[in-house]
Amino acid sequence: MTNKLITRRSLVTGLTAGALLAHSHPSQAQALPRIVVSKDPTCGCCTGWVDHLRKAGFPAEVIETSEINRVKARLGVPDELASCHTAEIGGYVIDGHVPANAIKSLLVEKPTAKGLAVAGMPMGSPGMEIEGMAPDTYEVILFGPSGRKTFARYEGARLL
């Protein structure tokens, strides 16, 4: 008769092996989706924002266009929420200097909305960091057919 009891040693060994395998072969399902960013070719802060996204793990494709306002209109970005670049990811629109963590939360929560926006260009937001300048406090706004609401508040790149 075979002993079916799990010993403490075999349990620890099995858990350790499972953890090692999980880290050595990450699931494709955990990969972040590609974000497509439309920006003006001369905008440096937009490039800084794309760098922020890539550092956070997003594969990013950049489309340079001098017609960024037409892109915003086509995607339904309200004029008062507009900033300097617009992106598309997972069926959502992202406008302005939205931190990568807010985008990740949006993709996990999947609210019924058009997307997220950070109006203007808040100092210290991703892509707008200037050494020696204090970061602004700003809101990431969730917008869509059912209205607008604050999705998150940040000071620079720090979630409040």
Side-chain angles (χ1 to χ4, degrees):
M1 187 157 123
T2 311
N3 185 353
K4 294 186 180 183
L5 292 175
I6 298 175
T7 66
R8 186 179 199 174
R9 182 176 183 175
S10 65
L11 177 63
V12 170
T13 302
L15 290 173
T16 302
L20 289 173
L21 283 173
H23 287 292
S24 64
H25 299 288
S27 168
Q28 290 296 329
Q30 293 175 345
L32 292 170
R34 178 175 60 117
I35 188 165
V36 179
V37 180
S38 296
K39 72 175 214 56
D40 188 280
T42 63
C43 187
C45 68
C46 298
T47 301
W49 185 69
V50 171
D51 291 344
H52 163 78
L53 295 177
R54 287 178 173 149
K55 286 178 188 168
F58 286 100
E61 175 186 339
V62 176
I63 299 171
E64 295 190 344
T65 177
S66 57
E67 309 244 341
I68 192 66
N69 290 332
R70 288 185 188 212
V71 173
K72 292 174 187 305
R74 178 177 56 82
L75 295 174
V77 177
D79 289 341
E80 57 278 5
L81 293 180
S83 184
C84 54
H85 52 265
T86 303
E88 298 173 79
I89 185 169
Y92 291 104
V93 175
I94 309 296
D95 200 81
H97 295 269
V98 177
N101 288 342
I103 298 169
K104 288 177 181 178
S105 293
L106 175 76
L107 296 173
V108 168
E109 294 175 23
K110 297 183 186 335
T112 302
K114 188 73 156 170
L116 295 177
V118 170
M121 300 166 70
M123 189 59 56
S125 61
M128 288 295 299
E129 304 92 343
I130 297 177
E131 192 172 328
M133 298 289 292
D136 291 335
T137 298
Y138 59 95
E139 294 182 340
V140 176
I141 303 297
L142 181 72
F143 68 95
S146 55
R148 301 173 191 171
K149 70 176 190 173
T150 299
F151 187 76
R153 286 177 43 91
Y154 284 81
E155 179 181 49
R158 183 176 65 89
L159 180 64
L160 297 177

